[in-house]
Amino acid sequence: MWLSAVVFASVAALVSGQLSAYTAPGAFPTSLYAKYYNNPTATSEQPQPIIADPVNHKVFPYSLTDPSHIPQNDTIDPNPLPPVASSSKLLEQAIAQVKSISVNPIFGTNQCARCQASLEVAKFLALSAPDQGPNFAVALCEHFNYSSSCETNYGSLNLGPIFTQVLSFADAGGYDGQLICAQFLGLCSYPDTLPLNITGWFAKPKPNPLPAPKQPSGERLKVLHLSDLHIDPRFANGAEANCTSGLCCRENAYNKLSPHTPLLPAPRFGYFLCDSPYSLITAVLEAIPPLAGTETTGFNFTLYTGDLLAHDPNNQQSRAYTEYSEVVLFDLLKRVLGPGPVYATLGNHDSFPVDIAPSYSLGGELGQQFGWLYDHITALWNYEGWLPEDSVELSRAHYAAYMVKRTDGLRIISLNTNLCTSNYFNYINTSHPDTSGMMRFLTDELQDAEDAGDRAWIIGHVVSGWDGSNSLFNPTNLFYQM
Ligand SMILES: *[C@@H]1O[C@H](CO)[C@@H](O)[C@H](O)[C@H]1NC(C)=O
Ligand SMILES: *[C@@H]1O[C@H](CO)[C@@H](O)[C@H](O)[C@H]1NC(C)=O
Ligand SMILES: *[C@@H]1O[C@H](CO)[C@@H](O)[C@H](O)[C@H]1NC(C)=O
Ligand SMILES: *[C@@H]1O[C@H](CO)[C@@H](O)[C@H](O)[C@H]1NC(C)=O
Ligand SMILES: *[C@@H]1O[C@H](CO)[C@@H](O)[C@H](O)[C@H]1NC(C)=O
Ligand SMILES: *[C@@H]1O[C@H](CO)[C@@H](O)[C@H](O)[C@H]1NC(C)=O
């Protein structure tokens, strides 16, 4: 601006014979405009001619050019926004964006970045059009050739709604997203286990010195440990037992070498590749008392460490099928094993859908969506006489995890390990070592036992620890601090 003012104030012409310089008059040529907002000849400010638009005949106001009041915001002209997208439009755009991310060369070989960027798209679809979450899962499953039964596995009657819930809560662009891409898609490396802050975690310091060991009474208890019965009430005698099609000894099972004629017709007492038929379950249970010498006494107690149900795919299961297996097996244990309580724990197959358990921290109805399961199994344990009244509320309120205080001073602490394993819901808030509160529950129960001088036996279905497959790292880290 400065420069142009100097140059144009005095225009030099180089053509010979003409003026070589022109000096403009000092006063503003007021005749140029008919009207002014100010005094055009004043030298203290610039002239402000009144300008009219010859097209619409509107006069531009002084405020438009008033040097001492420059508008800071244009609040008059429109600032158009795109229309709110319908939920089907959101779905279409989300799919298109993930496809773009999957082929955009800017990501190079960084599949992890592609994966987390795509999860971010999925997260906002889950938040804005949750009804389209399952369609999104199915469409991408089909596009990426992820499964031959995308609709069955990821549609609205199976995992689609669960994926949608998880993504709506998860930190898709952060630690949760990296872990999801590592665990389920193999596209990221596993993030490091996070430093643990256990300040304030324990109510009391570790006893020092440690209490002296209890004096053994010399009395021996008879304890039975059972697990993973996996009853298959849909077992079909004569169906293919040596199948290549998933769960064998089912009407639709086949071996691809002989699709129409079973190579090994399912025997009445079961087969290695099949879940357990009634005949096998009852034969096994009936054999226990005579073999253990407990026909007249029963066991002092029995532990059942989970997995009652067969390995049906989710689409063949239901709440009723889950409850049926619970009712049948617990009733058989009670009647065949005789007196003595059974302390049972939930396995990963004892939920519907399998391997799933949401944290109460989802809040509201979502937090309580497995209440039907915890209420039913708790009531059943109580009905069989194994779970005393004062443990019932604890169990209902803790994912069917509970503590039973036996009269002999032993406490049984049963965990629902689904809250610590690769259950999809556990991929929400993974940077926190105890989103569900399962470790808090265990810590508090152990503290109570320690305070009372009692011993505790912890039971759970999935192995705890750093085995690198089942238990998540951050909760495992906390588990070891106890
Ligand atoms: C300009 O608009 C913004 C938002 O509409 C407002 O926050 C801000 O105060 C305005 N500035 C002035 C100087 O009026
Ligand atoms: C999925 O499989 C089809 C048929 O084999 C193939 O044409 C397509 O490229 C595959 N899609 C992807 C994303 O790999
Ligand atoms: C650790 O946890 C305690 C108690 O919650 C908190 O006061 C402290 O700031 C935390 N320390 C760090 C390093 O985060
Ligand atoms: C079981 O099936 C496999 C192929 O899936 C075959 O190699 C094997 O011989 C079969 N065994 C029996 C006992 O039929
Ligand atoms: C264990 O069971 C036997 C046989 O019923 C019984 O006599 C004994 O008192 C039980 N022991 C305890 C500690 O409950
Ligand atoms: C995730 O963690 C944050 C912070 O600890 C907590 O406020 C929030 O409720 C958690 N959300 C879920 C779904 O667990």
Side-chain angles (χ1 to χ4, degrees):
M1 281 300 196
W2 250 71
L3 183 66
S4 60
V6 174
V7 171
F8 290 110
S10 139
V11 179
L14 295 174
V15 184
S16 71
Q18 294 195 334
L19 270 183
S20 63
Y22 174 81
T23 303
F28 185 77
T30 53
S31 60
L32 279 179
Y33 300 101
K35 285 183 180 165
Y36 293 83
Y37 283 121
N38 59 355
N39 174 6
T41 58
T43 54
S44 57
E45 57 182 20
Q46 289 294 319
Q48 291 283 350
I50 298 178
I51 309 288
D53 184 324
V55 175
N56 61 21
H57 309 295
K58 282 191 182 149
V59 171
F60 294 105
Y62 179 54
S63 60
L64 189 62
T65 53
D66 177 358
S68 50
H69 297 100
I70 298 172
Q72 297 301 307
N73 279 324
D74 172 7
T75 54
I76 295 166
D77 297 322
N79 294 291
L81 292 170
V84 169
S86 66
S87 100
S88 58
K89 174 93 173 172
L90 287 167
L91 171 66
E92 176 197 301
Q93 287 290 315
I95 294 169
Q97 285 306 295
V98 171
K99 287 182 183 174
S100 292
I101 290 168
S102 76
V103 296
N104 185 344
I106 197 69
F107 288 99
T109 55
N110 194 340
Q111 300 302 340
C112 181
R114 286 186 209 274
C115 182
Q116 286 201 252
S118 302
L119 285 187
E120 211 46 83
V121 174
K123 177 182 179 72
F124 282 90
L125 180 69
L127 287 167
S128 55
D131 58 317
Q132 299 292 354
N135 295 336
F136 177 77
V138 171
L140 292 182
C141 170
E142 286 170 352
H143 176 74
F144 291 109
N145 299 323
Y146 192 71
S147 158
S148 55
S149 4
C150 292
E151 178 63 43
T152 305
N153 293 337
Y154 305 112
S156 59
L157 296 179
N158 203 327
L159 294 173
I162 288 168
F163 288 177
T164 308
Q165 288 186 59
V166 171
L167 283 164
S168 77
F169 287 102
D171 178 9
Y175 195 88
D176 292 343
Q178 187 181 346
L179 206 49
I180 291 169
C181 292
Q183 175 74 24
F184 300 107
L185 297 163
L187 297 174
C188 289
S189 56
Y190 281 87
D192 285 343
T193 304
L194 295 171
L196 198 57
N197 177 3
I198 52 165
T199 307
W201 182 262
F202 298 103
K204 294 177 185 166
K206 186 173 177 174
N208 185 16
L210 291 175
K214 288 211 163 182
Q215 286 309 305
S217 69
E219 188 199 348
R220 297 186 73 173
L221 301 187
K222 284 201 167 179
V223 177
L224 175 67
H225 183 180
L226 290 173
S227 202
D228 294 77
L229 285 173
H230 290 288
I231 187 170
D232 185 358
R234 294 163 170 171
F235 187 102
N237 291 357
E240 179 62 86
N242 181 28
C243 75
T244 53
S245 57
L247 182 52
C248 303
C249 302
R250 284 293 181 87
E251 212 50 74
N252 59 351
Y254 62 89
N255 187 304
K256 57 183 185 303
L257 296 180
S258 171
H260 303 296
T261 315
L263 291 176
L264 203 156
R268 193 160 63 87
F269 287 98
Y271 188 68
F272 183 65
L273 298 177
C274 310
D275 280 327
S276 316
Y278 262 101
S279 305
L280 177 62
I281 299 263
T282 52
V284 164
L285 293 181
E286 278 171 355
I288 292 171
L291 289 175
T294 55
E295 298 102 313
T296 53
T297 58
F299 289 89
N300 288 92
F301 64 90
T302 293
L303 302 177
Y304 187 83
T305 47
D307 274 12
L308 307 161
L309 272 86
H311 292 79
D312 294 67
N314 279 330
N315 59 296
Q316 296 176 1
Q317 295 205 15
S318 59
R319 292 184 184 187
Y321 189 64
T322 307
E323 291 168 347
Y324 171 92
S325 305
E326 293 170 2
V327 166
V328 164
L329 287 182
F330 291 142
D331 169 63
L332 277 175
L333 294 185
K334 170 94 178 176
R335 286 193 287 145
V336 180
L337 299 179
V342 177
Y343 304 118
T345 194
L346 278 181
N348 60 312
H349 281 278
D350 301 328
S351 67
F352 168 69
V354 291
D355 296 320
I356 299 291
S359 165
Y360 294 138
S361 65
L362 300 189
E365 283 180 17
L366 292 183
Q368 297 298 324
Q369 65 194 294
F370 272 39
W372 64 273
L373 174 64
Y374 306 140
D375 288 351
H376 183 261
I377 203 154
T378 298
L380 205 51
W381 290 333
N382 178 249
Y383 168 83
E384 300 294 1
W386 305 333
L387 196 67
E389 251 2 281
D390 54 5
S391 301
V392 165
E393 272 320 302
L394 193 64
S395 175
R396 286 163 51 100
H398 282 87
Y399 314 92
Y402 60 84
M403 186 279 292
V404 170
K405 202 169 173 174
R406 292 173 49 78
T407 51
D408 53 16
L410 178 66
R411 296 179 181 214
I412 308 290
I413 302 173
S414 171
L415 303 177
N416 180 347
T417 54
N418 290 342
L419 278 311
C420 310
T421 62
S422 58
N423 137 39
Y424 291 114
F425 280 112
N426 288 345
Y427 288 81
I428 298 168
N429 268 354
T430 45
S431 54
H432 192 291
D434 190 35
T435 293
S436 69
M438 190 58 64
M439 295 295 137
R440 179 78 265 153
F441 164 75
L442 177 60
T443 306
D444 292 346
E445 287 302 337
L446 288 174
Q447 185 70 59
D448 279 358
E450 187 171 275
D451 291 350
D454 284 350
R455 296 296 184 263
W457 190 331
I458 305 169
I459 63 172
H461 178 69
V462 170
V463 191
S464 59
W466 297 119
D467 76 338
S469 62
N470 285 313
S471 293
L472 295 181
F473 296 149
N474 288 327
T476 297
N477 201 10
L478 179 54
F479 183 79
Y480 279 120
Q481 298 304 313
M482 300 175 215

PDB file of all heavy atoms in Angstrom, residues 219 221 297 300 406 408, ligand 5:
ATOM      1  N   GLU A 219      -7.488 -83.002  58.933  1.00  0.00           N
ATOM      2  CA  GLU A 219      -8.689 -83.546  58.275  1.00  0.00           C
ATOM      3  C   GLU A 219      -8.604 -83.298  56.775  1.00  0.00           C
ATOM      4  O   GLU A 219      -8.240 -82.207  56.345  1.00  0.00           O
ATOM      5  CB  GLU A 219      -9.941 -82.844  58.830  1.00  0.00           C
ATOM      6  CG  GLU A 219     -11.226 -83.481  58.334  1.00  0.00           C
ATOM      7  CD  GLU A 219     -12.440 -82.550  58.470  1.00  0.00           C
ATOM      8  OE1 GLU A 219     -12.339 -81.519  59.152  1.00  0.00           O
ATOM      9  OE2 GLU A 219     -13.469 -82.876  57.861  1.00  0.00           O
ATOM     10  N   LEU A 221     -10.368 -82.952  53.090  1.00  0.00           N
ATOM     11  CA  LEU A 221     -11.657 -82.667  52.455  1.00  0.00           C
ATOM     12  C   LEU A 221     -11.693 -83.351  51.098  1.00  0.00           C
ATOM     13  O   LEU A 221     -10.665 -83.520  50.455  1.00  0.00           O
ATOM     14  CB  LEU A 221     -11.831 -81.163  52.242  1.00  0.00           C
ATOM     15  CG  LEU A 221     -11.787 -80.252  53.462  1.00  0.00           C
ATOM     16  CD1 LEU A 221     -12.146 -78.829  53.044  1.00  0.00           C
ATOM     17  CD2 LEU A 221     -12.754 -80.731  54.525  1.00  0.00           C
ATOM     18  N   THR A 297     -21.601 -89.878  51.204  1.00  0.00           N
ATOM     19  CA  THR A 297     -21.282 -88.580  51.828  1.00  0.00           C
ATOM     20  C   THR A 297     -21.418 -87.389  50.896  1.00  0.00           C
ATOM     21  O   THR A 297     -21.682 -86.274  51.323  1.00  0.00           O
ATOM     22  CB  THR A 297     -19.812 -88.573  52.300  1.00  0.00           C
ATOM     23  OG1 THR A 297     -18.981 -88.827  51.147  1.00  0.00           O
ATOM     24  CG2 THR A 297     -19.578 -89.626  53.347  1.00  0.00           C
ATOM     25  N   ASN A 300     -17.177 -82.582  49.963  1.00  0.00           N
ATOM     26  CA  ASN A 300     -17.258 -81.410  50.841  1.00  0.00           C
ATOM     27  C   ASN A 300     -17.650 -80.185  50.009  1.00  0.00           C
ATOM     28  O   ASN A 300     -18.442 -79.375  50.445  1.00  0.00           O
ATOM     29  CB  ASN A 300     -15.942 -81.178  51.586  1.00  0.00           C
ATOM     30  CG  ASN A 300     -15.732 -82.239  52.654  1.00  0.00           C
ATOM     31  OD1 ASN A 300     -15.117 -83.273  52.407  1.00  0.00           O
ATOM     32  ND2 ASN A 300     -16.295 -82.001  53.843  1.00  0.00           N
ATOM     33  N   ARG A 406     -17.366 -69.971  53.701  1.00  0.00           N
ATOM     34  CA  ARG A 406     -17.726 -71.285  54.234  1.00  0.00           C
ATOM     35  C   ARG A 406     -17.541 -71.298  55.754  1.00  0.00           C
ATOM     36  O   ARG A 406     -16.797 -70.514  56.315  1.00  0.00           O
ATOM     37  CB  ARG A 406     -16.842 -72.363  53.592  1.00  0.00           C
ATOM     38  CG  ARG A 406     -17.105 -72.568  52.120  1.00  0.00           C
ATOM     39  CD  ARG A 406     -16.097 -73.526  51.514  1.00  0.00           C
ATOM     40  NE  ARG A 406     -15.937 -74.734  52.285  1.00  0.00           N
ATOM     41  CZ  ARG A 406     -16.780 -75.773  52.287  1.00  0.00           C
ATOM     42  NH1 ARG A 406     -17.853 -75.743  51.511  1.00  0.00           N
ATOM     43  NH2 ARG A 406     -16.558 -76.833  53.038  1.00  0.00           N
ATOM     44  N   ASP A 408     -15.983 -73.427  57.394  1.00  0.00           N
ATOM     45  CA  ASP A 408     -14.655 -73.885  57.807  1.00  0.00           C
ATOM     46  C   ASP A 408     -13.585 -72.801  57.637  1.00  0.00           C
ATOM     47  O   ASP A 408     -12.392 -73.060  57.723  1.00  0.00           O
ATOM     48  CB  ASP A 408     -14.256 -75.154  57.021  1.00  0.00           C
ATOM     49  CG  ASP A 408     -14.389 -74.967  55.514  1.00  0.00           C
ATOM     50  OD1 ASP A 408     -14.496 -73.814  55.049  1.00  0.00           O
ATOM     51  OD2 ASP A 408     -14.391 -75.989  54.795  1.00  0.00           O
TER      52      ASP A 408
HETATM   53  C1  LIG B   5     -16.353 -83.049  54.820  1.00  0.00           C
HETATM   54  O1  LIG B   5     -17.317 -84.012  54.511  1.00  0.00           O
HETATM   55  C2  LIG B   5     -17.381 -85.068  55.480  1.00  0.00           C
HETATM   56  C3  LIG B   5     -18.369 -86.065  54.945  1.00  0.00           C
HETATM   57  O2  LIG B   5     -19.618 -85.463  54.716  1.00  0.00           O
HETATM   58  C4  LIG B   5     -17.829 -84.492  56.827  1.00  0.00           C
HETATM   59  O3  LIG B   5     -17.834 -85.497  57.791  1.00  0.00           O
HETATM   60  C5  LIG B   5     -16.857 -83.407  57.228  1.00  0.00           C
HETATM   61  O4  LIG B   5     -17.285 -82.760  58.389  1.00  0.00           O
HETATM   62  C6  LIG B   5     -16.707 -82.375  56.124  1.00  0.00           C
HETATM   63  N1  LIG B   5     -15.671 -81.438  56.493  1.00  0.00           N
HETATM   64  C7  LIG B   5     -15.869 -80.126  56.488  1.00  0.00           C
HETATM   65  C8  LIG B   5     -14.696 -79.266  56.915  1.00  0.00           C
HETATM   66  O5  LIG B   5     -16.926 -79.619  56.142  1.00  0.00           O
END
